[in-house]
Amino acid sequence: MMDALIAGGWLMIPLLGCSLLATVIIIERLWTLRAKRIAPYGLGQEVCSLVARGQVNLYWLEGHSPLGGVLAAGLRNARLGHEQVRARLQEAATAVIHDMERFLSPLGTIAAITPLIGLLGTVVGMIEVFAVIVSADGVGRTAELAGGISRALVTTAAGLTVAIPALMFHRYFQRRVEEITVRMEEQASQVVEFLAHYRGEIGFNEQREGERPGAEARPS
Protein backbone atom coordinates (compact mmCIF):
# COMPACT_ATOMS: atom_id res chain seq x y z
CA MET A 1 0.00 0.00 0.00
CA MET A 2 2.76 2.42 0.93
CA ASP A 3 4.60 1.56 -2.28
CA ALA A 4 1.48 2.44 -4.27
CA LEU A 5 1.13 5.77 -2.49
CA ILE A 6 4.76 6.62 -3.17
CA ALA A 7 4.51 5.49 -6.79
CA GLY A 8 1.45 7.65 -7.36
CA GLY A 9 3.22 10.81 -6.28
CA TRP A 10 1.72 13.89 -4.66
CA LEU A 11 -1.66 13.41 -6.35
CA MET A 12 -2.25 10.43 -4.10
CA ILE A 13 -2.64 12.85 -1.16
CA PRO A 14 -5.94 14.41 -2.34
CA LEU A 15 -7.14 10.97 -3.43
CA LEU A 16 -6.41 9.60 0.02
CA GLY A 17 -8.21 12.55 1.61
CA CYS A 18 -11.25 12.00 -0.62
CA SER A 19 -11.23 8.31 0.28
CA LEU A 20 -11.24 9.02 4.02
CA LEU A 21 -13.96 11.67 3.71
CA ALA A 22 -16.15 9.39 1.59
CA THR A 23 -15.75 6.57 4.12
CA VAL A 24 -16.82 8.82 7.01
CA ILE A 25 -19.84 10.11 5.08
CA ILE A 26 -20.94 6.61 4.07
CA ILE A 27 -20.74 5.27 7.63
CA GLU A 28 -22.56 8.30 9.04
CA ARG A 29 -25.35 8.14 6.45
CA LEU A 30 -25.80 4.38 6.89
CA TRP A 31 -26.39 5.01 10.59
CA THR A 32 -28.55 8.11 10.14
CA LEU A 33 -30.77 7.09 7.21
CA ARG A 34 -32.55 4.26 8.98
CA ALA A 35 -36.22 4.18 8.06
CA LYS A 36 -37.35 2.91 11.47
CA ARG A 37 -35.55 5.83 13.14
CA ILE A 38 -36.88 8.56 10.84
CA ALA A 39 -40.36 7.33 9.91
CA PRO A 40 -41.36 4.29 11.99
CA TYR A 41 -44.32 2.31 10.73
CA GLY A 42 -47.58 2.75 12.61
CA LEU A 43 -46.84 6.18 14.08
CA GLY A 44 -49.51 7.88 11.98
CA GLN A 45 -52.15 5.40 13.13
CA GLU A 46 -51.03 5.76 16.75
CA VAL A 47 -51.29 9.55 16.54
CA CYS A 48 -54.81 9.30 15.13
CA SER A 49 -55.80 7.03 18.01
CA LEU A 50 -54.27 9.43 20.57
CA VAL A 51 -56.03 12.41 19.01
CA ALA A 52 -59.34 10.60 19.25
CA ARG A 53 -58.71 9.98 22.97
CA GLY A 54 -57.35 13.48 23.61
CA GLN A 55 -54.04 12.06 24.83
CA VAL A 56 -51.52 13.54 22.41
CA ASN A 57 -48.33 14.60 24.19
CA LEU A 58 -46.69 16.91 21.66
CA TYR A 59 -43.35 16.95 23.46
CA TRP A 60 -43.23 13.17 23.41
CA LEU A 61 -44.23 13.16 19.76
CA GLU A 62 -41.54 15.68 18.77
CA GLY A 63 -38.85 13.62 20.47
CA HIS A 64 -40.13 10.32 19.13
CA SER A 65 -38.68 10.64 15.62
CA PRO A 66 -38.32 13.14 12.76
CA LEU A 67 -41.72 12.01 11.49
CA GLY A 68 -43.11 12.65 14.96
CA GLY A 69 -41.75 16.20 14.79
CA VAL A 70 -43.49 16.68 11.43
CA LEU A 71 -46.81 15.42 12.78
CA ALA A 72 -46.47 17.53 15.92
CA ALA A 73 -45.95 20.64 13.79
CA GLY A 74 -49.21 19.92 11.99
CA LEU A 75 -51.15 19.13 15.15
CA ARG A 76 -50.11 22.41 16.79
CA ASN A 77 -52.04 24.18 14.03
CA ALA A 78 -54.98 21.78 13.86
CA ARG A 79 -57.45 24.41 15.06
CA LEU A 80 -56.43 26.83 12.31
CA GLY A 81 -57.88 24.72 9.55
CA HIS A 82 -57.09 21.94 7.14
CA GLU A 83 -54.88 24.03 4.88
CA GLN A 84 -52.78 25.33 7.76
CA VAL A 85 -52.14 21.78 8.91
CA ARG A 86 -50.96 20.79 5.43
CA ALA A 87 -48.75 23.87 5.17
CA ARG A 88 -47.07 23.22 8.52
CA LEU A 89 -46.59 19.56 7.70
CA GLN A 90 -44.97 20.51 4.40
CA GLU A 91 -42.61 22.98 6.07
CA ALA A 92 -41.55 20.50 8.73
CA ALA A 93 -41.14 17.70 6.18
CA THR A 94 -38.95 19.91 4.00
CA ALA A 95 -36.60 20.45 6.93
CA VAL A 96 -36.43 16.70 7.61
CA ILE A 97 -35.72 15.94 3.94
CA HIS A 98 -32.97 18.55 3.96
CA ASP A 99 -31.39 16.82 6.95
CA MET A 100 -31.63 13.44 5.22
CA GLU A 101 -29.84 14.81 2.17
CA ARG A 102 -27.00 16.26 4.27
CA PHE A 103 -23.53 15.24 3.03
CA LEU A 104 -24.92 13.62 -0.13
CA SER A 105 -23.70 16.52 -2.24
CA PRO A 106 -20.08 16.19 -0.99
CA LEU A 107 -20.26 12.44 -1.60
CA GLY A 108 -21.44 13.04 -5.16
CA THR A 109 -18.68 15.59 -5.64
CA ILE A 110 -16.08 13.05 -4.50
CA ALA A 111 -17.48 10.50 -6.95
CA ALA A 112 -17.16 13.07 -9.74
CA ILE A 113 -13.72 14.57 -9.05
CA THR A 114 -11.64 11.55 -8.04
CA PRO A 115 -11.55 10.09 -11.58
CA LEU A 116 -10.46 13.53 -12.81
CA ILE A 117 -7.67 13.62 -10.23
CA GLY A 118 -6.63 10.17 -11.39
CA LEU A 119 -6.71 11.38 -14.97
CA LEU A 120 -4.55 14.34 -14.01
CA GLY A 121 -2.06 11.91 -12.52
CA THR A 122 -2.09 9.98 -15.79
CA VAL A 123 -1.37 13.14 -17.76
CA VAL A 124 1.43 14.19 -15.38
CA GLY A 125 2.98 10.73 -15.54
CA MET A 126 2.87 10.59 -19.34
CA ILE A 127 4.41 14.08 -19.57
CA GLU A 128 7.30 12.83 -17.46
CA VAL A 129 7.65 9.77 -19.66
CA PHE A 130 7.80 11.82 -22.87
CA ALA A 131 10.21 14.27 -21.26
CA VAL A 132 12.57 11.39 -20.54
CA ILE A 133 12.13 9.90 -24.02
CA VAL A 134 13.02 13.10 -25.85
CA SER A 135 16.13 13.64 -23.76
CA ALA A 136 19.51 12.67 -25.19
CA ASP A 137 19.83 9.40 -23.29
CA GLY A 138 16.13 8.82 -22.73
CA VAL A 139 16.05 5.24 -23.97
CA GLY A 140 18.60 4.17 -21.38
CA ARG A 141 16.83 5.84 -18.42
CA THR A 142 14.47 2.95 -17.80
CA ALA A 143 13.95 3.74 -14.12
CA GLU A 144 12.55 7.19 -14.85
CA LEU A 145 10.41 5.82 -17.67
CA ALA A 146 9.01 3.17 -15.38
CA GLY A 147 8.34 5.77 -12.67
CA GLY A 148 6.32 7.98 -15.00
CA ILE A 149 4.29 5.06 -16.33
CA SER A 150 3.70 3.78 -12.78
CA ARG A 151 2.40 7.18 -11.67
CA ALA A 152 0.07 7.31 -14.68
CA LEU A 153 -1.40 3.88 -13.89
CA VAL A 154 -1.52 4.09 -10.09
CA THR A 155 -3.31 7.45 -9.89
CA THR A 156 -5.90 6.38 -12.43
CA ALA A 157 -6.59 3.14 -10.57
CA ALA A 158 -6.75 4.97 -7.23
CA GLY A 159 -9.17 7.56 -8.59
CA LEU A 160 -11.52 4.89 -9.91
CA THR A 161 -11.23 2.86 -6.71
CA VAL A 162 -12.52 5.83 -4.72
CA ALA A 163 -15.08 7.03 -7.26
CA ILE A 164 -16.91 3.75 -7.93
CA PRO A 165 -18.07 2.99 -4.36
CA ALA A 166 -18.71 6.69 -3.71
CA LEU A 167 -21.01 6.84 -6.74
CA MET A 168 -22.78 3.60 -5.77
CA PHE A 169 -23.47 4.77 -2.21
CA HIS A 170 -24.53 8.22 -3.44
CA ARG A 171 -27.21 6.66 -5.65
CA TYR A 172 -28.19 4.26 -2.88
CA PHE A 173 -28.64 7.05 -0.34
CA GLN A 174 -30.66 9.12 -2.82
CA ARG A 175 -32.99 6.17 -3.30
CA ARG A 176 -33.27 5.64 0.45
CA VAL A 177 -34.18 9.30 1.00
CA GLU A 178 -36.91 8.97 -1.63
CA GLU A 179 -38.32 5.85 0.02
CA ILE A 180 -38.35 7.41 3.49
CA THR A 181 -39.95 10.57 2.08
CA VAL A 182 -42.76 8.50 0.55
CA ARG A 183 -43.30 6.73 3.88
CA MET A 184 -43.48 10.07 5.67
CA GLU A 185 -45.96 11.43 3.15
CA GLU A 186 -48.21 8.39 3.53
CA GLN A 187 -48.36 8.64 7.31
CA ALA A 188 -48.73 12.43 7.30
CA SER A 189 -51.60 12.13 4.81
CA GLN A 190 -53.22 9.57 7.08
CA VAL A 191 -53.19 12.06 9.96
CA VAL A 192 -54.37 14.93 7.75
CA GLU A 193 -57.33 12.93 6.47
CA PHE A 194 -58.22 11.87 9.99
CA LEU A 195 -58.18 15.48 11.19
CA ALA A 196 -60.28 16.56 8.20
CA HIS A 197 -63.07 14.16 9.21
CA TYR A 198 -62.61 14.33 12.98
CA ARG A 199 -65.45 16.16 14.65
CA GLY A 200 -64.32 16.02 18.26
CA GLU A 201 -62.30 18.58 20.19
CA ILE A 202 -58.57 18.04 19.85
CA GLY A 203 -56.82 17.93 23.23
CA PHE A 204 -53.09 18.02 23.82
CA ASN A 205 -50.94 17.06 26.77
CA GLU A 206 -47.95 19.40 26.58
CA GLN A 207 -46.37 18.51 29.88
CA ARG A 208 -42.75 17.56 29.49
CA GLU A 209 -42.77 14.88 32.17
CA GLY A 210 -42.89 11.33 30.93
CA GLU A 211 -41.98 9.80 27.62
CA ARG A 212 -45.38 8.51 26.63
CA PRO A 213 -48.71 10.30 26.22
CA GLY A 214 -50.68 10.16 29.44
CA ALA A 215 -54.33 9.59 30.12
CA GLU A 216 -54.42 12.79 32.19
CA ALA A 217 -54.40 14.95 29.05
CA ARG A 218 -56.90 17.81 28.94
CA PRO A 219 -58.09 19.83 25.98
CA SER A 220 -56.15 23.05 25.79
Side-chain angles (χ1 to χ4, degrees):
M1 178 64 71
M2 186 59 64
D3 292 339
L5 291 174
I6 295 173
W10 64 269
L11 283 171
M12 293 298 291
I13 297 176
L15 288 175
L16 180 60
C18 289
S19 175
L20 294 175
L21 180 58
T23 301
V24 171
I25 292 175
I26 289 169
I27 294 174
E28 190 275 338
R29 289 291 90 184
L30 284 173
W31 175 256
T32 302
L33 294 178
R34 291 173 293 149
K36 65 180 181 180
R37 185 192 73 86
I38 299 175
Y41 276 120
L43 182 59
Q45 182 62 42
E46 182 178 1
V47 169
C48 292
S49 176
L50 292 171
V51 168
R53 299 199 305 268
Q55 297 178 345
V56 181
N57 187 320
L58 295 181
Y59 288 111
W60 166 81
L61 186 58
E62 288 174 337
H64 181 276
S65 61
L67 173 59
V70 171
L71 298 180
L75 289 174
R76 287 187 186 278
N77 295 271
R79 296 183 181 88
L80 300 181
H82 190 65
E83 293 303 319
Q84 282 294 326
V85 172
R86 284 190 176 275
R88 290 298 184 180
L89 287 173
Q90 184 62 44
E91 291 176 4
T94 299
V96 173
I97 295 171
H98 181 269
D99 289 339
M100 289 194 293
E101 293 177 340
R102 184 182 301 171
F103 304 132
L104 294 191
S105 180
L107 186 61
T109 300
I110 290 173
I113 67 172
T114 46
L116 299 179
I117 296 175
L119 179 60
L120 177 59
T122 300
V123 173
V124 171
M126 295 310 297
I127 289 175
E128 293 181 357
V129 169
F130 283 111
V132 172
I133 291 175
V134 299
S135 63
D137 57 342
V139 177
R141 297 163 63 182
T142 55
E144 294 186 32
L145 288 172
I149 295 173
S150 175
R151 179 174 302 178
L153 297 177
V154 168
T155 53
T156 301
L160 293 175
T161 300
V162 176
I164 292 173
L167 179 60
M168 292 174 60
F169 275 103
H170 182 259
R171 297 290 177 83
Y172 169 72
F173 290 139
Q174 284 184 323
R175 180 60 180 171
R176 178 174 287 192
V177 169
E178 292 174 358
E179 292 175 350
I180 295 175
T181 300
V182 170
R183 182 187 294 192
M184 290 176 56
E185 291 175 349
E186 290 175 349
Q187 298 203 55
S189 296
Q190 184 179 21
V191 173
V192 169
E193 292 302 318
F194 173 82
L195 293 177
H197 297 89
Y198 182 65
R199 293 294 178 264
E201 184 178 1
I202 300 177
F204 300 134
N205 173 14
E206 300 201 56
Q207 295 182 355
R208 293 181 182 272
E209 292 80 3
E211 296 184 352
R212 299 287 298 180
E216 71 279 5
R218 294 290 186 271
S220 57

